[in-house]
Amino acid sequence: MAFAPMGPEPSFFQALDQHRASLLAALRRGGREPAGVGTRLVSRFEDSVGLQMAPHCTTRKIKSDSPKSVRNFALILKILSMIYKLVQSNTYATKRDIYYTDSQLFGDQATVDSTINDVSCMLKVPRRCLHILSTSKGLIAGNLRYMEEDGTKVHCSCATAVAVPSNIQGIWNLITDAKFLLIVEKDATFQRLLDDNFCSKMSPCIMVTGKGVPDLNTRLLVRKLWDTFHIPTVTLVDADPHGIEIMCIYKYGSMSMSFEAHNLTVPAVRWLGLLPSDIKRLNIPRDNLVPLTKRDQMKLDSILKRPYVTCQPCWRKEMETMAGSKVKAAIQALTLLSPDYLSRVYLPNKLQFGGWV
């Protein structure tokens, strides 16, 4: 079923269509990045997958007869017993639900999260296979329809957002004719784009936000959309180390969830904006830029040393531009040019002429 055309002429999407063709060609070659990006295998990282758990990584043993391990052993047994009941009854629970079953034993939510990750890693199965779900914080809008596990029909629209579902594995019959997926770092920017009717003007498209550092469900949804439709996926983040970090999580994953990299990462993700080079290109006044803090500089140095940066020379160049200028800029800096510059000029031009790296 096709969506009614509302956006620009088909010729507008020529650069996106060409990019999609290169992505599909890369998949036919075996899932690698398009030629010219570079491939190499590094410990804990593979460019076609992202960060993965190393085959001979350091492990820790938890023994039932060790005083130091008593509490951790009890926590693991408690979680395992709950997982067994959930699987047997074919029901699901959130991490928050599990915490409240015995808050005195767990102490805090972080302990539950950590123990569940340990169990998932130990059993070598994704968390959702344990029937444990995360509470979603992400939002989605645009040209997308799907069915939830219980048969509920969800029709996303270009005008309002719906919450990312808690059980991504359970959604089915996904339908879209979107030309691209835009991942937006911040909720405020996402809502502004909705208010400016960006989705309608650029239809057909899909927009997603994880409201900052993405939760597991938002990452799973982005991966499911990629696996199902293989449409170009671009990110809009602040031109600062924190925004780059968030973009890297979508593209390459995180160390804490490296054992689930194959289910979470989308190496085809591209950086659409805000690019550090855009700051100079658009003549954003320096008075409206923010100096990098010591913490920013440390984060930027850390990212530049990561193995996947060697596979992304254009990303490295942008980050080196930021390091050289010693300034950062939020997406909102574009409003200094005009209130609707982001939705009316910046993003349409970038999408039409392939302004991603």
Side-chain angles (χ1 to χ4, degrees), residues 20-187:
R20 183 169 188 262
S22 71
L23 293 173
L24 294 174
L27 287 173
R28 288 192 290 270
R29 290 196 300 269
R32 295 283 183 177
E33 296 277 4
V37 175
T39 60
R40 91 181 246 193
L41 181 66
V42 187
S43 178
R44 293 192 62 88
F45 167 72
E46 184 178 352
D47 63 328
S48 61
V49 177
L51 292 172
Q52 316 178 71
M53 188 168 64
H56 304 293
C57 58
T58 302
T59 59
R60 60 189 176 97
K61 293 182 178 180
I62 297 176
K63 301 179 180 179
S64 59
D65 59 350
S66 170
K68 293 182 179 179
S69 299
V70 168
R71 185 168 184 273
N72 286 335
F73 187 74
L75 291 172
I76 289 176
L77 284 182
K78 176 69 174 179
I79 296 294
L80 284 172
S81 69
M82 297 189 70
I83 290 170
Y84 178 78
K85 293 175 182 176
L86 291 169
V87 173
Q88 284 289 93
S89 61
N90 194 29
T91 56
Y92 291 83
T94 66
K95 294 187 294 181
R96 198 65 177 162
D97 294 333
I98 290 176
Y99 167 71
Y100 280 117
T101 60
D102 198 334
S103 57
Q104 188 172 359
L105 171 64
F106 294 123
D108 54 48
Q109 185 67 54
T111 299
V112 174
D113 299 350
S114 176
T115 305
I116 290 171
N117 283 344
D118 286 346
V119 170
S120 181
C121 185
M122 178 178 67
L123 298 178
K124 297 182 180 180
V125 296
R127 186 192 304 165
R128 59 196 174 280
C129 292
L130 305 177
H131 284 230
I132 296 175
L133 306 174
S134 300
T135 302
S136 295
K137 68 171 183 173
L139 298 172
I140 184 168
N143 300 68
L144 178 68
R145 299 169 187 164
Y146 59 85
M147 301 278 282
E148 293 192 337
E149 188 176 29
D150 62 1
T152 301
K153 296 180 180 179
V154 178
H155 186 172
C156 302
S157 77
C158 294
T160 57
V162 299
V164 169
S166 295
N167 186 5
I168 301 299
Q169 186 184 28
I171 66 175
W172 55 287
N173 195 30
L174 286 83
I175 301 172
T176 189
D177 56 358
K179 291 290 188 177
F180 66 94
L181 166 62
L182 174 65
I183 300 172
V184 183
E185 175 190 350
K186 297 185 293 190
D187 184 41

Side-chain angles (χ1 to χ4, degrees), residues 54-342:
H56 304 293
C57 58
T58 302
T59 59
R60 60 189 176 97
K61 293 182 178 180
I62 297 176
K63 301 179 180 179
S64 59
D65 59 350
S66 170
K68 293 182 179 179
S69 299
V70 168
R71 185 168 184 273
N72 286 335
F73 187 74
L75 291 172
I76 289 176
L77 284 182
K78 176 69 174 179
I79 296 294
L80 284 172
S81 69
M82 297 189 70
I83 290 170
Y84 178 78
K85 293 175 182 176
L86 291 169
V87 173
Q88 284 289 93
S89 61
N90 194 29
T91 56
Y92 291 83
T94 66
K95 294 187 294 181
R96 198 65 177 162
D97 294 333
I98 290 176
Y99 167 71
Y100 280 117
T101 60
D102 198 334
S103 57
Q104 188 172 359
L105 171 64
F106 294 123
D108 54 48
Q109 185 67 54
T111 299
V112 174
D113 299 350
S114 176
T115 305
I116 290 171
N117 283 344
D118 286 346
V119 170
S120 181
C121 185
M122 178 178 67
L123 298 178
K124 297 182 180 180
V125 296
R127 186 192 304 165
R128 59 196 174 280
C129 292
L130 305 177
H131 284 230
I132 296 175
L133 306 174
S134 300
T135 302
S136 295
K137 68 171 183 173
L139 298 172
I140 184 168
N143 300 68
L144 178 68
R145 299 169 187 164
Y146 59 85
M147 301 278 282
E148 293 192 337
E149 188 176 29
D150 62 1
T152 301
K153 296 180 180 179
V154 178
H155 186 172
C156 302
S157 77
C158 294
T160 57
V162 299
V164 169
S166 295
N167 186 5
I168 301 299
Q169 186 184 28
I171 66 175
W172 55 287
N173 195 30
L174 286 83
I175 301 172
T176 189
D177 56 358
K179 291 290 188 177
F180 66 94
L181 166 62
L182 174 65
I183 300 172
V184 183
E185 175 190 350
K186 297 185 293 190
D187 184 41
T189 304
F190 182 88
Q191 297 297 339
R192 178 58 190 267
L193 290 174
L194 285 180
D195 291 342
D196 288 350
N197 294 317
F198 174 79
C199 262
S200 296
K201 294 173 182 175
M202 293 294 104
S203 180
C205 68
I206 301 172
M207 281 201 321
V208 171
T209 181
K211 297 183 179 180
V213 177
D215 59 291
L216 182 65
N217 290 323
T218 302
R219 293 174 62 189
L220 284 168
L221 176 63
V222 170
R223 175 58 190 251
K224 192 176 187 77
L225 291 171
W226 166 249
D227 286 340
T228 307
F229 303 112
H230 294 118
I231 55 174
T233 302
V234 294
T235 54
L236 176 65
V237 299
D238 287 338
D240 66 11
H242 183 68
I244 296 171
E245 179 76 272
I246 288 172
M247 179 173 57
C248 289
I249 290 174
Y250 283 106
K251 186 176 178 72
Y252 293 120
S254 60
M255 295 290 283
S256 62
M257 296 297 292
S258 58
F259 60 92
E260 272 206 69
H262 286 82
N263 302 310
L264 292 173
T265 61
V266 182
V269 162
R270 293 291 180 265
W271 187 0
L272 184 68
L274 181 65
L275 301 179
S277 60
D278 289 336
I279 296 173
K280 182 178 180 181
R281 181 176 64 86
L282 298 174
N283 294 317
I284 297 176
R286 193 172 180 88
D287 292 345
N288 296 303
L289 304 177
V290 181
L292 291 176
T293 65
K294 186 175 181 180
R295 185 174 179 180
D296 288 333
Q297 291 172 340
M298 291 175 62
K299 169 67 74 175
L300 188 58
D301 290 342
S302 171
I303 297 173
L304 281 166
K305 292 176 183 176
R306 294 177 190 176
Y308 47 70
V309 174
T310 62
C311 297
Q312 295 293 338
C314 293
W315 283 28
R316 171 177 284 278
K317 183 177 180 180
E318 291 291 340
M319 285 184 270
E320 288 174 345
T321 296
M322 182 186 298
S325 67
K326 299 187 183 302
V327 294
K328 59 184 178 179
I331 299 166
Q332 286 80 356
L334 296 177
T335 60
L336 297 169
L337 303 177
S338 72
D340 61 348
Y341 188 84
L342 175 66

